Structures are given as structure tokens and as C-alpha cells.
Amino acid sequence: MADQHNHEHDHDHEHEHEEPQPTKVIGEVPDLANATARPITVMGNPVLHRECKDVTAFDAELSALIDDMFSSMYAAEGVGLAANQIGVDLKVFVYDCPDDDGVRHIGHVVNPVLEEPPVGRRRVLDDGQEGCLSVPTAYAELPRPDYAAVTGQDKDGNPIRVEGTGFFARCLQHETDHLYGFLYIDKLSKRDRKAALKQMAEGTPRYATVPND
């Protein structure tokens, strides 16, 4: 997922408040000494438009993939990245994303499943803007629940659960969607989707991408 403040529209709108700088970190900054930043696949690449395969091997190859995903995400200045965004057909995503309280969340989820909203929890929608590294330079307002929880596994196969609010909740939903073959623009109205695609056609990514044949 693209950083919500890292795009050209930031200069065209006044914000009521600036996103707070993270004061707390949940997770660990990865050691990427041996990692490789890979180019990003973009809309139209078949791997982005189908459900990815479940991860069944929790080995050194998976750990290396996760490192490469972090490196690729940082190179593209994103806050989340799914494996199919670097052309790998596996259910894995990584994130380094702040929530609305300024807490920085860093980690990965293998074989993620988005939980249903808790019974009795009031459903609040966040109407924030959303962008995607695989739809470069395009942004659109997309309502999403302001709370999300994902269950899955870590790189060693241990069960994990990650929950978040605000912008981090958006990231968890966005990246899980990727691994089931959906881009955020698939959730837009026809008009907003057309506008987003126009932004993408007119813009130039700041990072390496894989051309669609």
C-alpha cells in the first residue's frame, strides 16, 4: 500500500491535522543486509488478479522472500506490500505502517485471513484516501472499517494475530485483499475507478515496475 501522504495531491489539499510522528514501535525493524529490492508488478499483471497459493513451506526461502519484500516496499516508499506485488504467487504480506495514534507497526503475515467484525462492535467507516504501489500515482477516497484484525502465521509457522485501527487497519485490509486477487480500485465506483486509472496513465512511478506484456 502506498503512503497516504506521499503523493501529489498532498499539495492540493489542506489537512485539519498532520499525521502524528510514530512515538512507539510494535515489531522489529528487519535486517536487510542480504535483501534485494525487486520491481513492483502493476495492474494488469495476472498474478495480481487471482487468489495466491497458501504457503506450506516455512523455510529459509520464505524468510529470504520476506526480507526481499521489505526491501522492495522501502525502495518504493510504501507502507505495505503483498508477495504478488513482486510477482510471487504466495499468501504473504509485510508492513511498516503507522496507525492514527502515531504507533509504528512493523511485521509480516503468512496465509492471512481477515476476521469478521466482533459481535457488538460498532462499525465505523474511515473515508480516507487510499493508494497502491501496483496502481502507481493513483489515489482515491475509499471507505473502509476503521478497525481490522488478521489471523495467520509468522515465517516459522507459528500462529499470529494482528489488529489495528485507522490507517493501519486500512493497510491490513488492503494487503489481505491483494492476496485474494483484489486491488483497491476494484472497490471503487465506475467514475472513481476511471479517475484513478487516468491518474495512473498520466503519472510516472518513482520506483521500478514490471511492464505488462
Side-chain angles (χ1 to χ4, degrees), residues 36-88:
T36 300
R38 308 190 200 180
I40 305 296
T41 55
V42 296
M43 180 184 174
N45 190 306
V47 75
L48 293 174
H49 302 282
R50 62 173 183 260
E51 181 175 344
C52 293
K53 298 175 182 176
D54 290 340
V55 173
T56 57
F58 297 84
D59 53 16
E61 187 173 342
L62 176 62
S63 294
L65 169 63
I66 289 171
D67 286 347
D68 282 1
M69 289 172 64
F70 270 113
S71 183
S72 303
M73 179 183 71
Y74 291 139
E77 300 181 14
V79 295
L81 188 79
N84 53 356
Q85 291 185 272
I86 56 169
V88 178

Short mmCIF file of all heavy atoms in Angstrom, two decimals, residues 36-88:
data_model
loop_
_atom_site.label_atom_id
_atom_site.label_comp_id
_atom_site.label_asym_id
_atom_site.label_seq_id
_atom_site.Cartn_x
_atom_site.Cartn_y
_atom_site.Cartn_z
N THR A 36 17.17 -8.04 -1.43
CA THR A 36 17.17 -7.42 -2.76
C THR A 36 15.82 -6.75 -3.01
O THR A 36 14.78 -7.38 -2.83
CB THR A 36 17.40 -8.47 -3.85
OG1 THR A 36 18.67 -9.11 -3.64
CG2 THR A 36 17.38 -7.84 -5.24
N ALA A 37 15.86 -5.50 -3.41
CA ALA A 37 14.64 -4.80 -3.80
C ALA A 37 14.25 -5.23 -5.21
O ALA A 37 15.05 -5.13 -6.14
CB ALA A 37 14.85 -3.30 -3.74
N ARG A 38 13.05 -5.72 -5.36
CA ARG A 38 12.57 -6.19 -6.66
C ARG A 38 11.58 -5.19 -7.25
O ARG A 38 10.92 -4.45 -6.51
CB ARG A 38 11.89 -7.55 -6.52
CG ARG A 38 12.72 -8.61 -5.80
CD ARG A 38 12.06 -9.97 -5.92
NE ARG A 38 12.52 -10.92 -4.91
CZ ARG A 38 12.09 -12.17 -4.81
NH1 ARG A 38 11.19 -12.63 -5.67
NH2 ARG A 38 12.55 -12.97 -3.86
N PRO A 39 11.42 -5.17 -8.57
CA PRO A 39 10.45 -4.27 -9.20
C PRO A 39 9.02 -4.67 -8.84
O PRO A 39 8.73 -5.83 -8.53
CB PRO A 39 10.73 -4.41 -10.69
CG PRO A 39 11.41 -5.74 -10.84
CD PRO A 39 12.18 -5.94 -9.58
N ILE A 40 8.11 -3.70 -8.89
CA ILE A 40 6.72 -3.89 -8.49
C ILE A 40 5.86 -4.25 -9.70
O ILE A 40 5.94 -3.61 -10.74
CB ILE A 40 6.18 -2.60 -7.84
CG1 ILE A 40 7.08 -2.16 -6.67
CG2 ILE A 40 4.74 -2.78 -7.40
CD1 ILE A 40 7.14 -3.11 -5.52
N THR A 41 5.05 -5.29 -9.55
CA THR A 41 4.08 -5.63 -10.60
C THR A 41 2.94 -4.61 -10.54
O THR A 41 2.57 -4.12 -9.47
CB THR A 41 3.50 -7.04 -10.40
OG1 THR A 41 2.96 -7.15 -9.08
CG2 THR A 41 4.56 -8.09 -10.60
N VAL A 42 2.37 -4.28 -11.71
CA VAL A 42 1.31 -3.28 -11.76
C VAL A 42 0.03 -3.88 -12.32
O VAL A 42 0.03 -4.98 -12.90
CB VAL A 42 1.73 -2.06 -12.60
CG1 VAL A 42 2.90 -1.34 -11.94
CG2 VAL A 42 2.08 -2.45 -14.03
N MET A 43 -1.04 -3.16 -12.09
CA MET A 43 -2.37 -3.59 -12.53
C MET A 43 -2.33 -4.13 -13.96
O MET A 43 -1.73 -3.52 -14.84
CB MET A 43 -3.33 -2.41 -12.44
CG MET A 43 -4.74 -2.74 -12.86
SD MET A 43 -5.77 -1.27 -12.82
CE MET A 43 -7.27 -1.98 -13.53
N GLY A 44 -2.97 -5.27 -14.17
CA GLY A 44 -2.96 -5.92 -15.48
C GLY A 44 -2.11 -7.16 -15.48
O GLY A 44 -2.33 -8.08 -16.28
N ASN A 45 -1.13 -7.23 -14.57
CA ASN A 45 -0.33 -8.45 -14.43
C ASN A 45 -1.21 -9.54 -13.83
O ASN A 45 -1.82 -9.33 -12.78
CB ASN A 45 0.88 -8.17 -13.53
CG ASN A 45 1.89 -9.31 -13.54
OD1 ASN A 45 1.54 -10.45 -13.28
ND2 ASN A 45 3.14 -8.98 -13.83
N PRO A 46 -1.32 -10.71 -14.46
CA PRO A 46 -2.24 -11.75 -14.00
C PRO A 46 -2.08 -12.14 -12.53
O PRO A 46 -3.06 -12.49 -11.87
CB PRO A 46 -1.93 -12.93 -14.92
CG PRO A 46 -1.39 -12.30 -16.17
CD PRO A 46 -0.63 -11.10 -15.70
N VAL A 47 -0.86 -12.08 -12.00
CA VAL A 47 -0.64 -12.53 -10.62
C VAL A 47 -1.38 -11.66 -9.61
O VAL A 47 -1.65 -12.09 -8.48
CB VAL A 47 0.88 -12.59 -10.30
CG1 VAL A 47 1.44 -11.19 -10.11
CG2 VAL A 47 1.16 -13.47 -9.09
N LEU A 48 -1.75 -10.46 -10.02
CA LEU A 48 -2.46 -9.54 -9.12
C LEU A 48 -3.96 -9.77 -9.11
O LEU A 48 -4.67 -9.22 -8.26
CB LEU A 48 -2.19 -8.09 -9.52
CG LEU A 48 -0.77 -7.57 -9.34
CD1 LEU A 48 -0.66 -6.18 -9.94
CD2 LEU A 48 -0.37 -7.56 -7.88
N HIS A 49 -4.45 -10.54 -10.05
CA HIS A 49 -5.90 -10.64 -10.25
C HIS A 49 -6.44 -12.04 -10.00
O HIS A 49 -7.49 -12.42 -10.53
CB HIS A 49 -6.25 -10.16 -11.67
CG HIS A 49 -5.80 -8.75 -11.94
ND1 HIS A 49 -6.47 -7.64 -11.46
CD2 HIS A 49 -4.71 -8.28 -12.60
CE1 HIS A 49 -5.84 -6.55 -11.83
NE2 HIS A 49 -4.76 -6.90 -12.53
N ARG A 50 -5.73 -12.82 -9.19
CA ARG A 50 -6.21 -14.14 -8.79
C ARG A 50 -5.74 -14.42 -7.37
O ARG A 50 -4.79 -13.80 -6.89
CB ARG A 50 -5.68 -15.22 -9.73
CG ARG A 50 -4.15 -15.34 -9.77
CD ARG A 50 -3.69 -16.54 -10.60
NE ARG A 50 -2.25 -16.70 -10.57
CZ ARG A 50 -1.43 -16.31 -11.53
NH1 ARG A 50 -1.92 -15.73 -12.62
NH2 ARG A 50 -0.12 -16.51 -11.42
N GLU A 51 -6.43 -15.33 -6.71
CA GLU A 51 -6.04 -15.69 -5.35
C GLU A 51 -4.68 -16.37 -5.36
O GLU A 51 -4.40 -17.24 -6.20
CB GLU A 51 -7.08 -16.61 -4.72
CG GLU A 51 -6.76 -17.01 -3.29
CD GLU A 51 -7.84 -17.84 -2.62
OE1 GLU A 51 -8.98 -17.87 -3.14
OE2 GLU A 51 -7.55 -18.45 -1.57
N CYS A 52 -3.83 -15.98 -4.42
CA CYS A 52 -2.50 -16.57 -4.33
C CYS A 52 -2.55 -17.94 -3.65
O CYS A 52 -3.53 -18.29 -2.97
CB CYS A 52 -1.56 -15.65 -3.55
SG CYS A 52 -1.19 -14.10 -4.39
N LYS A 53 -1.47 -18.68 -3.79
CA LYS A 53 -1.38 -20.00 -3.17
C LYS A 53 -1.05 -19.88 -1.69
O LYS A 53 -0.34 -18.97 -1.27
CB LYS A 53 -0.30 -20.83 -3.88
CG LYS A 53 -0.57 -21.10 -5.36
CD LYS A 53 0.60 -21.80 -6.00
CE LYS A 53 0.36 -22.04 -7.49
NZ LYS A 53 1.55 -22.65 -8.16
N ASP A 54 -1.55 -20.83 -0.91
CA ASP A 54 -1.19 -20.89 0.50
C ASP A 54 0.29 -21.24 0.65
O ASP A 54 0.84 -22.02 -0.14
CB ASP A 54 -2.01 -21.95 1.23
CG ASP A 54 -3.48 -21.56 1.37
OD1 ASP A 54 -3.80 -20.36 1.26
OD2 ASP A 54 -4.30 -22.47 1.59
N VAL A 55 0.92 -20.68 1.66
CA VAL A 55 2.30 -21.05 1.99
C VAL A 55 2.28 -22.35 2.78
O VAL A 55 1.54 -22.48 3.76
CB VAL A 55 2.98 -19.94 2.82
CG1 VAL A 55 4.35 -20.40 3.31
CG2 VAL A 55 3.11 -18.66 1.99
N THR A 56 3.07 -23.32 2.35
CA THR A 56 3.14 -24.60 3.05
C THR A 56 4.55 -24.91 3.56
O THR A 56 4.73 -25.78 4.42
CB THR A 56 2.68 -25.76 2.14
OG1 THR A 56 3.49 -25.77 0.95
CG2 THR A 56 1.22 -25.58 1.74
N ALA A 57 5.55 -24.20 3.05
CA ALA A 57 6.94 -24.43 3.46
C ALA A 57 7.45 -23.22 4.24
O ALA A 57 7.58 -22.12 3.69
CB ALA A 57 7.81 -24.68 2.24
N PHE A 58 7.72 -23.41 5.50
CA PHE A 58 8.23 -22.34 6.36
C PHE A 58 9.73 -22.55 6.53
O PHE A 58 10.19 -23.20 7.47
CB PHE A 58 7.48 -22.36 7.69
CG PHE A 58 6.02 -22.07 7.54
CD1 PHE A 58 5.12 -23.08 7.23
CD2 PHE A 58 5.54 -20.77 7.68
CE1 PHE A 58 3.77 -22.81 7.07
CE2 PHE A 58 4.19 -20.49 7.52
CZ PHE A 58 3.30 -21.52 7.22
N ASP A 59 10.47 -22.03 5.58
CA ASP A 59 11.89 -22.34 5.49
C ASP A 59 12.71 -21.09 5.20
O ASP A 59 12.20 -19.97 5.23
CB ASP A 59 12.12 -23.41 4.41
CG ASP A 59 11.50 -23.03 3.06
OD1 ASP A 59 11.16 -21.83 2.87
OD2 ASP A 59 11.35 -23.92 2.20
N ALA A 60 13.99 -21.31 4.91
CA ALA A 60 14.89 -20.19 4.64
C ALA A 60 14.47 -19.42 3.40
O ALA A 60 14.65 -18.20 3.32
CB ALA A 60 16.32 -20.71 4.48
N GLU A 61 13.89 -20.11 2.44
CA GLU A 61 13.44 -19.44 1.21
C GLU A 61 12.31 -18.45 1.52
O GLU A 61 12.27 -17.35 0.96
CB GLU A 61 12.97 -20.48 0.20
CG GLU A 61 12.64 -19.91 -1.16
CD GLU A 61 12.34 -20.99 -2.19
OE1 GLU A 61 12.71 -22.15 -1.97
OE2 GLU A 61 11.73 -20.65 -3.23
N LEU A 62 11.41 -18.84 2.42
CA LEU A 62 10.34 -17.93 2.81
C LEU A 62 10.91 -16.72 3.55
O LEU A 62 10.51 -15.58 3.30
CB LEU A 62 9.32 -18.66 3.69
CG LEU A 62 8.19 -17.79 4.26
CD1 LEU A 62 7.33 -17.21 3.14
CD2 LEU A 62 7.33 -18.61 5.24
N SER A 63 11.84 -16.95 4.45
CA SER A 63 12.46 -15.84 5.19
C SER A 63 13.15 -14.87 4.24
O SER A 63 13.06 -13.64 4.41
CB SER A 63 13.47 -16.39 6.21
OG SER A 63 12.82 -17.12 7.22
N ALA A 64 13.84 -15.40 3.23
CA ALA A 64 14.53 -14.56 2.25
C ALA A 64 13.51 -13.76 1.43
O ALA A 64 13.75 -12.58 1.12
CB ALA A 64 15.40 -15.41 1.34
N LEU A 65 12.38 -14.39 1.09
CA LEU A 65 11.33 -13.68 0.36
C LEU A 65 10.80 -12.51 1.19
O LEU A 65 10.64 -11.40 0.67
CB LEU A 65 10.19 -14.65 0.03
CG LEU A 65 8.90 -14.00 -0.50
CD1 LEU A 65 9.14 -13.30 -1.84
CD2 LEU A 65 7.78 -15.04 -0.62
N ILE A 66 10.55 -12.75 2.45
CA ILE A 66 10.04 -11.69 3.32
C ILE A 66 11.03 -10.53 3.40
O ILE A 66 10.65 -9.35 3.33
CB ILE A 66 9.71 -12.26 4.72
CG1 ILE A 66 8.47 -13.16 4.62
CG2 ILE A 66 9.48 -11.14 5.73
CD1 ILE A 66 8.17 -13.95 5.86
N ASP A 67 12.32 -10.83 3.50
CA ASP A 67 13.34 -9.78 3.51
C ASP A 67 13.31 -8.98 2.20
O ASP A 67 13.38 -7.74 2.20
CB ASP A 67 14.73 -10.37 3.73
CG ASP A 67 14.96 -10.82 5.16
OD1 ASP A 67 14.15 -10.47 6.04
OD2 ASP A 67 15.95 -11.54 5.39
N ASP A 68 13.20 -9.68 1.09
CA ASP A 68 13.14 -9.00 -0.21
C ASP A 68 11.88 -8.14 -0.31
O ASP A 68 11.89 -7.05 -0.92
CB ASP A 68 13.15 -10.02 -1.35
CG ASP A 68 14.54 -10.58 -1.64
OD1 ASP A 68 15.50 -10.19 -0.93
OD2 ASP A 68 14.66 -11.42 -2.55
N MET A 69 10.79 -8.62 0.28
CA MET A 69 9.54 -7.84 0.25
C MET A 69 9.69 -6.56 1.05
O MET A 69 9.25 -5.49 0.61
CB MET A 69 8.38 -8.69 0.78
CG MET A 69 7.97 -9.81 -0.17
SD MET A 69 6.75 -10.93 0.57
CE MET A 69 5.37 -9.83 0.82
N PHE A 70 10.31 -6.64 2.22
CA PHE A 70 10.56 -5.42 2.99
C PHE A 70 11.44 -4.46 2.20
O PHE A 70 11.16 -3.25 2.12
CB PHE A 70 11.24 -5.76 4.32
CG PHE A 70 10.30 -6.02 5.46
CD1 PHE A 70 10.19 -7.28 6.01
CD2 PHE A 70 9.53 -4.99 5.99
CE1 PHE A 70 9.32 -7.53 7.07
CE2 PHE A 70 8.67 -5.22 7.05
CZ PHE A 70 8.56 -6.49 7.60
N SER A 71 12.50 -4.98 1.60
CA SER A 71 13.41 -4.15 0.83
C SER A 71 12.69 -3.48 -0.34
O SER A 71 12.89 -2.29 -0.63
CB SER A 71 14.59 -4.99 0.34
OG SER A 71 15.53 -4.19 -0.35
N SER A 72 11.83 -4.24 -1.01
CA SER A 72 11.07 -3.72 -2.15
C SER A 72 10.09 -2.65 -1.70
O SER A 72 9.92 -1.62 -2.36
CB SER A 72 10.31 -4.86 -2.85
OG SER A 72 11.20 -5.88 -3.26
N MET A 73 9.43 -2.89 -0.57
CA MET A 73 8.46 -1.92 -0.03
C MET A 73 9.16 -0.62 0.32
O MET A 73 8.68 0.47 -0.02
CB MET A 73 7.78 -2.51 1.20
CG MET A 73 6.79 -1.58 1.87
SD MET A 73 6.09 -2.29 3.38
CE MET A 73 7.51 -2.21 4.49
N TYR A 74 10.32 -0.71 1.00
CA TYR A 74 11.04 0.50 1.37
C TYR A 74 11.55 1.25 0.14
O TYR A 74 11.52 2.49 0.09
CB TYR A 74 12.21 0.17 2.30
CG TYR A 74 11.79 -0.30 3.67
CD1 TYR A 74 12.44 -1.37 4.29
CD2 TYR A 74 10.75 0.31 4.37
CE1 TYR A 74 12.08 -1.81 5.55
CE2 TYR A 74 10.37 -0.12 5.63
CZ TYR A 74 11.04 -1.18 6.22
OH TYR A 74 10.68 -1.61 7.47
N ALA A 75 12.01 0.51 -0.87
CA ALA A 75 12.50 1.15 -2.09
C ALA A 75 11.40 1.93 -2.79
O ALA A 75 11.65 2.97 -3.41
CB ALA A 75 13.09 0.10 -3.04
N ALA A 76 10.17 1.41 -2.70
CA ALA A 76 9.03 2.07 -3.34
C ALA A 76 8.34 3.07 -2.42
O ALA A 76 7.35 3.68 -2.80
CB ALA A 76 8.02 1.02 -3.80
N GLU A 77 8.88 3.21 -1.20
CA GLU A 77 8.34 4.14 -0.20
C GLU A 77 6.89 3.83 0.14
O GLU A 77 6.04 4.72 0.28
CB GLU A 77 8.49 5.59 -0.68
CG GLU A 77 9.93 6.00 -0.91
CD GLU A 77 10.07 7.45 -1.36
OE1 GLU A 77 9.10 8.22 -1.23
OE2 GLU A 77 11.15 7.80 -1.85
N GLY A 78 6.60 2.52 0.28
CA GLY A 78 5.26 2.10 0.66
C GLY A 78 5.19 1.78 2.14
O GLY A 78 6.20 1.79 2.85
N VAL A 79 3.98 1.45 2.60
CA VAL A 79 3.77 1.08 4.00
C VAL A 79 3.29 -0.37 4.13
O VAL A 79 3.15 -0.89 5.23
CB VAL A 79 2.76 2.02 4.68
CG1 VAL A 79 3.31 3.43 4.77
CG2 VAL A 79 1.41 2.01 3.97
N GLY A 80 3.04 -1.03 3.00
CA GLY A 80 2.64 -2.43 2.99
C GLY A 80 2.91 -3.01 1.62
O GLY A 80 2.92 -2.29 0.62
N LEU A 81 3.15 -4.32 1.57
CA LEU A 81 3.42 -4.98 0.29
C LEU A 81 3.04 -6.44 0.37
O LEU A 81 3.40 -7.14 1.32
CB LEU A 81 4.91 -4.86 -0.07
CG LEU A 81 5.28 -5.35 -1.48
CD1 LEU A 81 4.91 -4.29 -2.52
CD2 LEU A 81 6.76 -5.69 -1.58
N ALA A 82 2.32 -6.91 -0.64
CA ALA A 82 1.94 -8.32 -0.75
C ALA A 82 2.88 -9.01 -1.72
O ALA A 82 3.44 -8.39 -2.63
CB ALA A 82 0.50 -8.44 -1.23
N ALA A 83 3.04 -10.33 -1.54
CA ALA A 83 4.01 -11.08 -2.35
C ALA A 83 3.72 -10.98 -3.84
O ALA A 83 4.66 -10.91 -4.66
CB ALA A 83 4.04 -12.54 -1.91
N ASN A 84 2.45 -10.99 -4.23
CA ASN A 84 2.15 -10.93 -5.67
C ASN A 84 2.52 -9.57 -6.27
O ASN A 84 2.59 -9.43 -7.49
CB ASN A 84 0.70 -11.30 -5.97
CG ASN A 84 -0.32 -10.51 -5.19
OD1 ASN A 84 0.01 -9.71 -4.33
ND2 ASN A 84 -1.59 -10.76 -5.47
N GLN A 85 2.79 -8.59 -5.42
CA GLN A 85 3.23 -7.29 -5.95
C GLN A 85 4.69 -7.31 -6.40
O GLN A 85 5.14 -6.34 -7.03
CB GLN A 85 3.01 -6.20 -4.91
CG GLN A 85 1.54 -5.90 -4.66
CD GLN A 85 1.35 -4.73 -3.73
OE1 GLN A 85 1.32 -4.89 -2.52
NE2 GLN A 85 1.25 -3.53 -4.30
N ILE A 86 5.41 -8.38 -6.07
CA ILE A 86 6.73 -8.58 -6.69
C ILE A 86 6.72 -9.88 -7.50
O ILE A 86 7.75 -10.49 -7.71
CB ILE A 86 7.87 -8.56 -5.65
CG1 ILE A 86 7.67 -9.60 -4.55
CG2 ILE A 86 8.04 -7.18 -5.06
CD1 ILE A 86 8.90 -9.79 -3.67
N GLY A 87 5.51 -10.27 -7.91
CA GLY A 87 5.37 -11.39 -8.83
C GLY A 87 5.40 -12.77 -8.21
O GLY A 87 5.47 -13.77 -8.94
N VAL A 88 5.30 -12.88 -6.88
CA VAL A 88 5.37 -14.17 -6.21
C VAL A 88 3.97 -14.62 -5.81
O VAL A 88 3.27 -13.91 -5.07
CB VAL A 88 6.28 -14.10 -4.97
CG1 VAL A 88 6.30 -15.45 -4.25
CG2 VAL A 88 7.70 -13.70 -5.38
#
